[in-house]
Amino acid sequence: MAISICIDSDTTMSQTAPYGKWESTITPESVVQGNISFTELFVDPTNNKIYHIEARPQDNARYVIVDTIAGQDIIPSPYSARTGIQEYGGAAAIAYGGTVYFSNSADNRVYSIKATTEIPEPVTPDKKEYRYANFTVHPVRHDLLVSVLEDHTVDTPQTVVTTLTVVNTARKAVFPLVVGADFYAAPVFNPSGNKIAWQEWYHPDMPWEGSLIKIADVLVQQDTIVVLNTTRVAGEQLTKSVNYPLWASDTMLVFTSDELNGFQNPFTYSTLTGTAQLAIPESIKEDFGAPAWTLGNFPFALLDDPRGGNDKLAAFTAFRDGRNVLYIISLSDDKRIVEIHDFPFSVVNRVNQRGGTSIAFNARKSDAPGGIFLCTISGSSFVPSYQALKPSAPQSASGNEAYISLPRPITLYRDGKPLYVVYYAPKNPKYSGSSILGEKPPCIVHMHGGPTSMATQVLSWERLYYTSRGYAWLDVNYGGSSGYGREYISRLAGNWGIVDIQDCQDAPKLLAAAPYSLIDGRRVAIRGGSAGGFSTLASISIAPEPGFFKTAASSFGVSDLVSLAKFTHKFELRYMDKLLGGTPQEVPEVYAARSPVNHADKIVTPLLVLQGAEDKIVLPEQAEKIVNTIIEHGGADGVQYHLFEGEGHGWQHAETIKEALRLEHDWYDKKLLTGSI
């Protein structure tokens, strides 16, 4: 390997070496240590205390509730605040009146704990088949919680039952509240506790495709509550999506809906008039909120009026060009909306009011680690100030700022239609470029999961691991990705395995050619997990050009669509009806044609397959079947398989995260960097 030394114009010593061969201080260990993952954020409305849940891969993959400002753990080992509802979980804890309630992953029971209590106390029956999440506490009867309950007594995707239930924490008993829908989310009482709102949806919808928001009167009884006079507020099965109900007062409900222009916009509903209306002067082609893959991920919170008036405000995040902007919206009749300029965060989630004119949220940046922040709005111009409460990287991770490659969002066009990508160039302060004349960097194309999700423009230590070594990285927000409106999501309807793989090939082709000429089009790898793993496998088996990519890496990726439809969890049981145009019984030929496992004999691209042994979404048999087929057709030298014991759908343990990164890097070093430049 040729390495040369040169002196830049600023007299800084730098080196040149082939792209992909640069030396970097970012190691697998620093990738794990350099990122603290905050999965939840919630505020006790009675005392404004902020809590968060952080993942700790080194501590047996525990999820720990922390008093954010005090920096004190609230739950001791071995308790872990995580829920398996809908497999993706979310909203595993809540705080009210100085008590924290949380779902414990080991036994699925709900526990309560106070800051002065050392041992959490269970408040639900000892029944592991019950999973709880998305709690709300009755504002008068604090011993009564409402929760989403997922009953796995008969544990098949077709027989799991989801309801809204009442948890009587004093009696340690549960009582049914609302039944009949396939899914429930976001139960919330109004301030007086005499009304409750919630979201529900039915198969074959996902919540961002068709859902309903309902309200009902609340009657408190001795041991439980019942609901009366249930009313549909907004939404419609199949065609209209409504999300994130939250009471602004006893009579006003705030939520989001895509019914006007295909973008999630803010709405209000009045119980006095029985009508819903847009909360801003006119609809905006921006999504105020992301698809609800996890529970409790509110994109907005309420605010008091910083001008000293009685106007109730809401601080709303929205997606524009793949990153968040912040608006302050007046919920009064004037519907005033003000954009907060120079919002310094790329993505914000878990937005909570922290009393008065402050909101707390989990935020991520493009140019630095993110964390948990407090934003306070002041004056008639709604001037924001930001206070960092908890960084998402420890102090030991500092010193790598010079390696950060900033995102370059690019909108590519084919036949006048947009394709959204984010490009990250190689960057390393010790290197000025390649020592090979005319060399362009090899490129790693990343396909996000979902598929109705999106690749956001946030700092990723895993990505920096590669860009700091001289690789280019390309995130493809292929047709079907969220954040660009319902029409863009709908590009994938009936076309999963067609649109996504065409987009993932077109994107690097366009960037390799003029006028961009950013990458070496002959050295392009593709990688992804889950649905992104499906697109990875499909791109090297059923794509029009299955040999386009020089190598591929699939992590817990789907290869057998019939098996996925049969064994996947309840939340996604009917998801593929729309993605593929029907059920396996209705369109068996589509499932057969789109399943990479049926075309593994066509795979000539070197393939790395990483799989969790406990994966309940994509069973290990799917990975093993496609690997064995490749081997049976003489491709043993071009495939590598690794099964991680104790892992499910995604890596949780520190050693797995590090080993998966080492395996993938070694694979690219052997299979991508070789050959012509």
Side-chain angles (χ1 to χ4, degrees):
M1 177 178 67
I3 298 180
S4 61
I5 307 295
C6 67
I7 304 296
D8 291 338
S9 57
D10 62 358
T11 71
T12 299
M13 187 74 70
S14 65
Q15 307 176 52
T16 60
Y19 288 115
K21 295 293 186 179
W22 297 355
E23 295 182 357
S24 172
T25 61
I26 300 178
T27 64
E29 288 73 20
S30 62
V31 169
V32 172
Q33 298 168 3
N35 180 55
I36 303 173
S37 176
F38 303 124
T39 62
E40 308 279 353
L41 175 70
F42 52 99
V43 177
D44 186 331
T46 67
N47 59 23
N48 292 323
K49 183 172 286 189
I50 303 171
Y51 300 89
H52 69 270
I53 300 178
E54 62 183 60
R56 294 184 180 168
Q58 301 97 325
D59 185 7
N60 200 31
R62 279 207 310 140
Y63 286 72
V64 182
I65 300 175
V66 181
D67 180 327
T68 304
I69 294 178
Q72 178 182 6
D73 288 359
I74 299 300
I75 59 173
S77 179
Y79 295 94
S80 181
R82 190 166 185 247
T83 176
I85 279 189
Q86 297 178 180
E87 297 301 329
Y88 299 113
I94 192 174
Y96 197 95
T99 299
V100 174
Y101 302 93
F102 69 95
S103 179
N104 184 47
S105 60
D107 58 9
N108 290 332
R109 298 181 78 178
V110 178
Y111 288 77
S112 68
I113 187 170
K114 294 180 180 291
T116 57
T117 303
E118 293 184 358
I119 304 298
E121 178 183 358
V123 297
T124 56
D126 186 5
K127 190 173 177 62
K128 195 170 184 178
E129 294 81 9
Y130 283 4
R131 303 178 184 180
Y132 303 87
N134 231 176
F135 310 101
T136 184
V137 180
H138 192 274
V140 178
R141 283 286 303 275
H142 299 168
D143 59 327
L144 300 179
L145 280 64
V146 170
S147 167
V148 179
L149 169 63
E150 199 173 75
D151 183 353
H152 287 251
T153 301
V154 184
D155 196 15
T156 71
Q158 296 80 8
T159 54
V160 168
V161 178
T162 307
T163 61
L164 289 180
T165 193
V166 178
V167 177
N168 185 316
T169 61
R171 286 191 52 190
K172 301 182 180 180
V174 296
F175 302 90
L177 181 66
V178 182
V179 301
D182 288 318
F183 301 94
Y184 293 94
V188 58
F189 290 108
N190 70 350
S192 296
N194 61 6
K195 291 185 183 295
I196 189 172
W198 68 87
Q199 178 194 24
E200 67 183 44
W201 67 98
Y202 300 78
H203 282 315
D205 280 328
M206 302 299 281
W208 54 85
E209 295 173 335
S211 52
L212 310 174
I213 288 178
K214 292 184 177 181
I215 62 171
D217 295 330
V218 171
L219 176 63
V220 180
Q221 299 183 331
Q222 181 177 354
D223 292 327
T224 186
I225 63 175
V226 296
V227 294
L228 306 168
N229 305 318
T230 300
T231 301
R232 183 181 68 84
V233 167
E236 189 174 287
Q237 289 178 241
L238 302 176
T239 61
K240 297 176 182 177
S241 169
V242 287
N243 298 275
Y244 308 116
L246 187 64
W247 292 97
S249 68
D250 275 342
T251 59
M252 179 189 288
L253 187 72
V254 186
F255 60 96
T256 68
S257 172
D258 67 0
E259 68 172 82
L260 290 183
N261 63 358
F263 289 81
Q264 290 287 334
N265 276 197
F267 279 72
T268 60
Y269 175 85
S270 170
T271 62
L272 300 177
T273 64
T275 58
Q277 62 178 337
L278 189 67
I280 52 181
E282 58 183 7
S283 60
I284 299 174
K285 289 188 175 182
E286 295 173 0
D287 276 321
F288 287 67
W293 281 102
T294 60
L295 297 174
N297 188 13
F298 268 72
F300 72 95
L302 302 174
L303 290 173
D304 293 339
D305 192 343
R307 300 163 296 188
N310 295 320
D311 192 5
K312 181 63 74 171
L313 307 175
F316 261 96
T317 60
F319 282 98
R320 180 192 301 161
D321 298 329
R323 57 184 295 138
N324 274 153
V325 294
L326 180 66
Y327 292 105
I328 305 298
I329 296 173
S330 170
L331 301 177
S332 63
D333 291 337
D334 66 2
K335 300 182 179 181
R336 182 186 180 195
I337 179 170
V338 175
E339 180 181 349
I340 302 299
H341 294 288
D342 300 321
F343 191 54
F345 309 105
S346 298
V347 174
V348 166
N349 56 41
R350 310 285 171 180
V351 183
N352 284 256
Q353 184 179 18
R354 205 249 179 161
T357 63
S358 296
I359 56 173
F361 48 71
N362 179 24
R364 300 178 69 183
K365 298 181 178 182
S366 299
D367 57 355
I372 296 172
F373 290 82
L374 187 68
C375 173
T376 301
I377 303 297
S378 304
S380 59
S381 300
F382 302 143
V383 177
S385 61
Y386 305 103
Q387 178 185 357
L389 303 180
K390 171 75 174 180
S392 63
Q395 187 65 32
S396 59
S398 63
N400 289 318
E401 292 81 0
Y403 289 93
I404 295 175
S405 176
L406 295 178
R408 178 182 172 184
I410 302 172
T411 303
L412 304 170
Y413 287 93
R414 301 153 306 169
D415 301 323
K417 296 181 179 180
L419 169 59
Y420 303 102
V421 303
V422 185
Y423 175 74
Y424 296 86
K427 185 178 180 183
N428 186 316
K430 299 178 182 178
Y431 293 87
S432 60
S434 175
S435 59
I436 300 176
L437 183 63
E439 183 191 16
K440 296 292 184 182
C443 181
I444 299 172
V445 172
H446 175 70
M447 301 295 283
H448 64 71
T452 309
S453 186
M454 70 181 301
T456 55
Q457 299 168 37
V458 299
L459 177 65
S460 162
W461 292 99
E462 179 185 43
R463 185 195 307 119
L464 294 187
Y465 177 89
Y466 288 106
T467 55
S468 67
R469 285 169 168 78
Y471 291 90
W473 182 285
L474 182 65
D475 282 330
V476 181
N477 279 318
Y478 49 83
S481 301
S482 58
Y484 305 97
R486 188 177 184 122
E487 182 179 352
Y488 195 73
I489 291 176
S490 297
R491 283 190 60 213
L492 210 57
N495 292 310
W496 193 30
I498 297 176
V499 165
D500 50 325
I501 63 174
Q502 188 64 58
D503 286 354
C504 76
Q505 289 193 0
D506 285 351
K509 286 181 182 178
L510 291 169
L511 290 186
Y516 301 103
S517 302
L518 293 172
I519 62 173
D520 182 351
R522 294 164 295 180
R523 295 189 296 166
V524 182
I526 185 168
R527 53 102 68 185
S530 191
F534 165 77
S535 298
T536 296
L537 296 171
S539 71
I540 61 174
S541 60
I542 66 173
E545 297 181 59
F548 170 75
F549 292 102
K550 190 164 185 180
T551 191
S554 170
S555 298
F556 42 93
V558 178
S559 66
D560 186 343
L561 297 175
V562 174
S563 175
L564 180 66
K566 183 178 180 180
F567 294 110
T568 193
H569 54 110
K570 179 186 177 184
F571 181 55
E572 293 183 340
L573 184 61
R574 302 290 301 278
Y575 189 24
M576 289 188 295
D577 288 13
K578 296 181 180 179
L579 293 175
L580 297 172
T583 66
Q585 293 74 32
E586 293 168 339
V587 288
E589 70 284 356
V590 173
Y591 281 74
R594 307 271 183 88
S595 294
V597 71
N598 297 332
H599 307 275
D601 57 319
K602 300 182 181 68
I603 294 178
V604 295
T605 301
L607 172 64
L608 173 67
V609 179
L610 306 177
Q611 176 67 40
E614 308 302 323
D615 196 335
K616 298 298 190 294
I617 298 174
V618 177
L619 302 182
E621 287 84 348
Q622 290 197 38
E624 291 160 6
K625 189 174 180 181
I626 199 168
V627 169
N628 291 336
T629 302
I630 294 173
I631 294 174
E632 289 168 3
H633 286 79
D637 292 338
V639 65
Q640 181 176 329
Y641 176 60
H642 193 94
L643 184 70
F644 292 103
E645 297 294 338
E647 293 287 2
H649 198 66
W651 317 139
Q652 303 296 328
H653 295 82
E655 288 307 313
T656 303
I657 296 169
K658 291 186 287 187
E659 181 62 15
L661 184 55
R662 292 188 190 103
L663 288 168
E664 190 173 351
H665 180 209
D666 183 64
W667 189 252
Y668 296 149
D669 190 63
K670 293 177 180 177
K671 303 296 184 179
L672 181 61
L673 299 185
T674 59
S676 60
I677 301 300

